[in-house]
Amino acid sequence: MTTPIIVLSCVLILLSLLLTASILLHKAKGGGMSDLFGGGMSTAMGGISMAERNLDRITLIVGGLWVACVIVLLVLYRFFPPVA
């Protein structure tokens, strides 16, 4: 394996962990599986807080970086296949 593939693979692992954490930090919006586990008991305050809006932005940015990293890794594996 080449050095860029190794580095991007490590970055992908880190981005995967960050993306998972940012998704799990979101407030339940109600409905679906969240109601099944007690998520429907929370009251809606009528608006989205600034922290929730920032968390949405962070999640979208990390998700975009994750997709870009996957695409770059696919291109690298296409032109520099691993030697067995």
Side-chain angles (χ1 to χ4, degrees), residues 17-53:
L17 293 173
L18 287 174
L19 187 60
T20 302
S22 68
I23 289 171
L24 289 176
L25 283 173
H26 279 281
K27 246 190 323 187
K29 302 281 193 259
M33 292 296 285
S34 65
D35 283 342
L36 191 66
F37 298 109
M41 303 297 269
S42 63
T43 59
M45 297 307 247
I48 298 176
S49 68
M50 185 60 128
E52 186 73 19
R53 219 172 300 139

Side-chain angles (χ1 to χ4, degrees), residues 45-76:
M45 297 307 247
I48 298 176
S49 68
M50 185 60 128
E52 186 73 19
R53 219 172 300 139
N54 287 336
L55 188 58
D56 287 342
R57 290 181 187 134
I58 290 170
T59 303
L60 286 174
I61 291 169
V62 172
L65 290 173
W66 186 87
V67 169
C69 189
V70 169
I71 291 171
V72 171
L73 273 173
L74 286 172
V75 169
L76 285 176

